[in-house]
Amino acid sequence: MRPSLAERWADHLPQLAGVPVVTLGEGSTPLLPAPRLSERLGIELWLKWEGANPTGSFKDRGMTVAVSRARADGAPGVVCASTGNTAASAAAYAARAGIEATIVVAEGAAAASKLAQVRAVGARVVEVPGTFSDAYDASLGLAEREGFAQVNSTNEHRIAGQMTAAFEIVEELGGLPDVLTLPYGGGGNTKAYARGFLALAGALPRLHPAQAERRADTAASAIRIVDPIHRHEVEEAMVRSGGAVVTVSEEEIAAAWHAVRHEEGVFCEPASAAGIAALFAGAARPGERVVCVLTGHGLKDPAAVERAAA
Ligand SMILES: *Cc1c(COP(=O)(O)O)cnc(C)c1O
């Protein structure tokens, strides 16, 4: 049996020492070469395929740590605000742990299949009017009133778990890539990669998180976050790595999403293509070794394919 994320990286996860781990087989995801896009872009491109995680996104890496700790600490349940994937992950790991999960979403903002994932494992969904920030505030109130553990990316255990993706990349490539690109929603994952690379390799690749120009209403629903909560840490990582946030348009995201599906056969969700869009916009120089993190599975939002007219 392959080791759980917590077993594989136990030395880096002191918060799980002596804690029974809640696992669904997360982590150890494929690092896929992307020969056609590499040729087109004149770089050596690798895709970190996070859609291969148990609930279909990288959120599972942090959730195994956060939910294991919540249960060990005696929390009766977990609560989070979500654009969909955090919800699907929290719900599944809570079910596995035998504790409750309450999910707060902004009305109409989460893809239907992500909410189906939540309901399928028995979590409670609360819809609130407004934006992700309103849902987040409501989740804090619930955590306070019910004694639930809050498992948004402000939960440090989640960031710790997400660092393991950087560890896997360094181990598999035998060192740091020159560049890492990934979508930038709240910035928790950018922060986690930066910490992970520093912890294992003592240095950073050039980081290029890609945000939607239209943060408020982008078709890439997983990064539809107006006010990125980890903005300061992301800016710090830009200075330290010599990188920069890349802002991409709806058309650029759509074209990148089309390219990674049609040219590499990898069906990620639209938000995941933001990092590819950053590369088409020139984030990497010729010959550089680049890892692009494909954060979530395309089956998360199949209707998006129809909307994009394939
Ligand atoms: C959560 C998520 C993101 C955004 O990650 P942040 O840590 O909020 O920047 C991007 N893509 C997918 C598929 C996600 O689920």
Side-chain angles (χ1 to χ4, degrees):
M1 216 169 70
R2 78 175 187 175
S4 68
L5 176 152
E7 287 167 328
R8 183 170 172 192
W9 302 107
D11 292 352
H12 294 272
L13 297 169
Q15 59 270 76
L16 291 183
V19 169
V21 171
V22 182
T23 178
L24 287 164
E26 59 292 321
S28 303
T29 56
L31 186 65
L32 303 168
R36 289 176 199 85
L37 287 178
S38 290
E39 193 179 328
R40 186 128 85 90
L41 289 159
I43 59 177
E44 180 191 319
L45 178 62
W46 297 83
L47 306 173
K48 183 62 171 162
W49 180 217
E50 291 290 278
N53 277 296
T55 75
S57 85
F58 74 84
K59 300 298 199 297
D60 296 339
R61 291 181 182 276
M63 214 53 80
T64 179
V65 183
V67 174
S68 299
R69 270 276 19 145
R71 185 175 67 175
D73 295 340
V78 297
V79 62
C80 66
S82 178
T83 59
N85 286 335
T86 297
S89 186
Y93 281 81
R96 184 87 177 152
I99 60 176
E100 279 179 57
T102 301
I103 306 305
V104 190
V105 293
E107 244 163 30
S113 354
K114 296 178 185 178
L115 291 180
Q117 278 186 292
V118 168
R119 294 201 170 96
V121 293
R124 177 163 70 119
V125 178
V126 179
E127 283 194 297
V128 298
T131 65
F132 175 81
S133 294
D134 299 307
Y136 182 71
D137 290 342
S139 76
L140 290 181
L142 272 164
E144 173 100 23
R145 278 201 306 282
E146 313 275 346
F148 294 151
Q150 224 282 353
V151 294
N152 275 99
S153 64
T154 43
N155 181 318
E156 279 296 321
H157 301 312
R158 278 200 42 208
I159 302 295
Q162 287 173 211
M163 287 166 57
T164 60
F167 300 164
E168 289 172 17
I169 291 169
V170 172
E171 200 172 272
E172 208 154 331
L173 293 179
L176 289 173
D178 298 308
V179 174
L180 182 99
T181 65
L182 77 175
Y184 173 19
N189 212 27
T190 302
K191 170 171 154 177
Y193 272 91
R195 281 198 194 166
F197 286 126
L198 285 171
L200 204 71
L204 292 174
R206 217 165 66 243
L207 298 172
H208 286 293
Q211 66 181 353
E213 186 173 52
R214 284 171 35 190
R215 270 186 171 269
D217 67 346
T218 175
S221 62
I223 53 172
R224 196 180 291 156
I225 293 177
V226 176
D227 191 16
I229 199 156
H230 302 284
R231 176 189 288 120
H232 296 300
E233 290 91 339
V234 170
E235 279 164 13
E236 219 173 275
M238 295 308 100
V239 173
R240 190 140 185 198
S241 77
V245 172
V246 180
T247 300
V248 291
S249 69
E250 293 301 292
E251 294 70 26
E252 288 175 301
I253 294 172
W257 189 41
H258 185 278
V260 72
R261 287 181 284 131
H262 285 245
E263 294 176 41
E264 301 295 354
V266 182
F267 182 29
C268 60
E269 68 174 283
S272 300
I276 300 281
L279 295 172
F280 279 117
R285 297 189 275 272
E288 283 187 319
R289 183 155 73 163
V290 179
V291 173
C292 177
V293 185
L294 299 183
T295 45
H297 205 292
L299 289 173
K300 290 274 190 178
D301 189 8
V305 179
E306 302 339 302
R307 288 196 296 273

